[in-house]
Amino acid sequence: QLTLVESGGGLVQPGGSLTLSCAASEWTFDWYALAWFRQAPGKEREGVICIDNLRRTTNYEDSVKGRFTISRDDNKRTLYLRMNNLKPEDTATYFCAQHRYNDCPRVPTRSDFPSWGQGTPVTVSS
């Protein structure tokens, strides 16, 4: 399994943009599907968006459609989440996670993701 480290979180005004990064060192990085999850205070962790080894993407959260874009740079072994037009309800700790296989699951079940980063907090507020 991969060792993942997120970065790029912070305080952003509503309507602003932010890019999160998730870095891994293992050479097997390019084989796995990777996903972003988020967890707001007092809420359950939810899958947001996933990208497979062929760069096909799957969106799990209707509220971020058209605003969030996932991408991967396999040469740099880095996963990205570009977040545009941020809203206060996007406030959460964001986690990157490695799926067990190379495809994005239809349902983002936490137990199917064996490796997780520690999370990076995103706060959207004036």
Side-chain angles (χ1 to χ4, degrees):
Q1 63 184 35
L2 304 176
T3 299
L4 304 172
V5 180
E6 304 96 336
S7 62
L11 176 63
V12 187
Q13 289 188 334
S17 298
L18 196 65
T19 299
L20 307 182
S21 299
C22 173
S25 298
E26 292 83 355
W27 65 270
T28 54
F29 177 90
D30 61 354
W31 188 85
Y32 294 103
L34 304 166
W36 288 98
F37 287 69
R38 67 183 182 183
Q39 187 167 18
K43 304 293 184 180
E44 296 184 14
R45 192 172 300 183
E46 62 180 11
V48 180
I49 193 167
C50 180
I51 185 168
D52 70 12
N53 67 322
L54 299 179
R55 299 182 180 178
R56 298 175 296 193
T57 63
T58 301
N59 190 284
Y60 300 118
E61 178 56 55
D62 288 341
S63 67
V64 308
K65 288 182 178 179
R67 299 190 297 120
F68 288 14
T69 302
I70 190 171
S71 62
R72 64 193 297 165
D73 186 332
D74 292 338
N75 291 329
K76 296 182 178 179
R77 292 193 285 263
T78 302
L79 176 74
Y80 301 98
L81 181 65
R82 178 63 177 176
M83 303 182 292
N84 295 322
N85 192 24
L86 283 162
K87 305 178 184 299
E89 51 264 40
D90 296 319
T91 296
T93 297
Y94 285 73
F95 301 85
C96 62
Q98 169 218 321
H99 189 231
R100 184 173 297 168
Y101 302 115
N102 63 351
D103 63 331
C104 290
R106 183 167 296 180
V107 177
T109 304
R110 288 184 62 177
S111 61
D112 291 332
F113 290 79
S115 184
W116 294 81
Q118 294 185 355
T120 185
V122 173
T123 301
V124 184
S125 176
S126 298

